[in-house]
Amino acid sequence: MKMKNTYKMKTKILFYCMLSVMLTVMNSCNSFLDITPEEIPSIDNAFRNRQEARKFLYGCYSYMPLFADAGSNPAMFGGDEAWYRDPSVGFSPRLWHIALGNQGSNAPIYNCFASKTDGELQGGTPMFTALSDCNIFLENIHLPYDLQEWERLIWTGEVKFLKAFYHFWLFRMYGPIPLIRENLPMDAPSGEVQRYREPVDKVVEYIVELLDEAIELLPDMIDNPSEDLGRPTKLIAMALKAQVLCYGASPLFNNNRDEPFASYTDNRGTHLFPQTDATEELRKWEKAAEALKAVIDYAHARNHALYDYSTTRDAIGLDPKTIYAMQVRGAATEPEEYNPEIIWADYNSNTIALQRACFAAYDNTQMYVDGKNYGVPMKIVEQFFTKNGVPIEEDREWAGVNFTDFRTATTDDRQYISQNQKTYALHFDREPRFYSSIFFDKGTNYGNGRLGDNTSNPNYMFVFSLELNVPNQPAHFFRTSTTGYIAKKMLYFRSSA
């Protein structure tokens, strides 16, 4: 009996010793797990000093769309103004599949609502990730100890501009969108995470509010062009504000009577597209006009003006017909240092692929050069006006003309069509914009790296020949236009083969 009690006592002592050891180990583990290794990034680390904050600032810029990349900008291949050849060289054909009618709701092409990974796979910029990063920046930019106040204010203005632009990019594509005014906490309930889309008027109002705040903080001009070109200024923010207000007043978003826009509501019964009276519609246009007048005056005061090729050194001695055509082409392709019309230039896009896609072959040595696949459909070719400044179907001189009849170019046509060459009647007697925008069979191209008096030296005019650009090449090349036309307007006239 005594031995049994002794055994129980020893057992209890052993149990309590083991329990004590376990509690000690558990407390030690908890203390160990609470320690965050120094190499693990955090928000505090991202804003611990000026250098780290600047990295985060540049990260906010990283979501800017590539405007000159036809594989990234749906405005280039998402419609039917240009036609691609797939497979080909230089561009992703992804956005062209929108024009082909392959868009779907399950996995939409160019999905900017998607998460970062999914958005990149579908071709879209993950704008909600971008907006989240902008909010993080604005919430924490007060933390860097070595950031001077004047620079803090400018950076804040830049990110407010980016936040406004990213909202605008979504608004332009989707209309009513959720407004990401601030980031939600990690423990937010699901009902808050699933944000409602806001009506168009509220979206416009919020974007303009952000831009007004940015305008107050942004610099008047870029002081260090070698590093900071492309970053927003007051003028850029004012121009975007005017554009946003024009969209908000336009019948696309305001008073759109077409269905489903006219009666489009969410499950709360909120109308997402405004149906306003004439007085309210006029007020919106007046507000947009005021913003446009303000930005025009501000731009003129800073030596911005519409591009005018006739005032350039290259125009001396040129035939007036060539100058007229170069007005449009030069405005589209001349870089910022020579083009006072540009307010906000894109310095991120790689334009080499676009230049190659718009380059035509002039002789047999150029037949296998990459590109020549930025085609223009016939419907676009026909939409250009005649030399009389009216649509073809409204010009009495074109009544009864068969577009596909051949006609021989004379001396009077030599600036636009190679003299003594035959081509379609459709290519004659068109407006200068047509000849600056479209490569057509036996059409001339001023430039190719050789500028000057093309009247006295015809070698300065290069001729596009469909015979060198037809799809009869080996299958692995596919470097041709499927329509027989190429977008000359997008080819910089100083580019050369």
Side-chain angles (χ1 to χ4, degrees), residues 407-411 413-414 417-423 428:
R407 178 174 161 185
T408 302
T410 66
T411 303
D413 302 312
R414 69 185 183 280
I417 305 174
S418 183
Q419 188 172 343
N420 299 324
Q421 295 291 321
K422 289 184 178 181
T423 188
F428 289 84

Side-chain angles (χ1 to χ4, degrees), residues 64-77 82 84 89-92 95 110 125 165 169 172 332-333 342 344-358 373-374 489-492:
M64 288 297 297
L66 300 177
F67 299 102
D69 180 7
S72 301
N73 186 352
M76 300 183 74
F77 274 156
Y84 192 57
V89 179
F91 293 126
S92 165
L95 300 185
Y110 200 78
T125 302
F165 178 81
W169 190 257
R172 191 170 65 168
T333 61
I342 295 177
W344 189 24
D346 174 14
Y347 291 93
N348 294 322
S349 298
N350 181 354
T351 60
I352 294 177
L354 179 60
Q355 293 296 291
R356 287 177 174 172
C358 296
N373 55 357
Y374 201 102
K489 178 180 178 180
M490 308 299 287
L491 177 66
Y492 185 35

Side-chain angles (χ1 to χ4, degrees), residues 244-272:
V244 172
L245 288 171
C246 285
Y247 271 89
S250 74
L252 177 63
F253 293 108
N254 183 64
N255 274 346
N256 191 331
R257 305 300 186 187
D258 295 334
E259 292 295 347
F261 303 103
S263 58
Y264 195 67
T265 61
D266 60 21
N267 60 12
R268 300 171 299 179
T270 302
H271 281 272
L272 297 180

Side-chain angles (χ1 to χ4, degrees), residues 61 68 83 115 157 177 185 207 487:
Y61 277 97
W83 210 246
S115 63
I177 57 171
I207 296 174

